[in-house]
Amino acid sequence: MSLSELRDYAAERGDITLKELSVHFNLSPGHIQNMMSVWIRKGVFSENKPQSKCSSCSCECAEGETVYHLNR
């Protein structure tokens, strides 16, 4: 899996959790975090760790779970 594949899949979703990416690509969460950090540094995505269940995104995020948001 390449960085562009990760970017494209996550961009299709808009908001996506670290767990969802890890399961979809069958990679460890640490590996996904390292790859997503490239896109965060480039300003393509932002990272959020909600303190409680949010109502603003489409994903079913658990408390404290990392969520990646596409910066439009």
Side-chain angles (χ1 to χ4, degrees):
M1 189 243 335
S2 68
L3 281 170
S4 58
E5 287 175 301
L6 177 64
R7 178 203 58 213
D8 294 347
Y9 180 76
E12 287 175 10
R13 301 293 302 269
D15 290 319
I16 191 163
T17 65
L18 174 60
K19 182 178 179 180
E20 289 173 308
L21 288 169
S22 180
V23 168
H24 178 80
F25 289 107
N26 196 31
L27 293 170
S28 72
H31 193 86
I32 296 292
Q33 282 179 316
N34 289 338
M35 294 179 79
M36 285 300 285
S37 69
V38 171
W39 296 119
I40 291 168
R41 281 193 308 271
K42 291 180 180 241
V44 176
F45 288 92
S46 55
E47 180 180 56
N48 184 27
K49 287 190 179 188
Q51 298 304 311
S52 61
K53 203 167 183 77
C54 63
S55 61
S56 63
C57 68
S58 60
C59 60
E60 292 294 323
C61 38
E63 188 172 327
E65 185 171 357
T66 301
V67 177
Y68 296 105
H69 174 75
L70 176 64
N71 296 327
R72 300 182 193 260

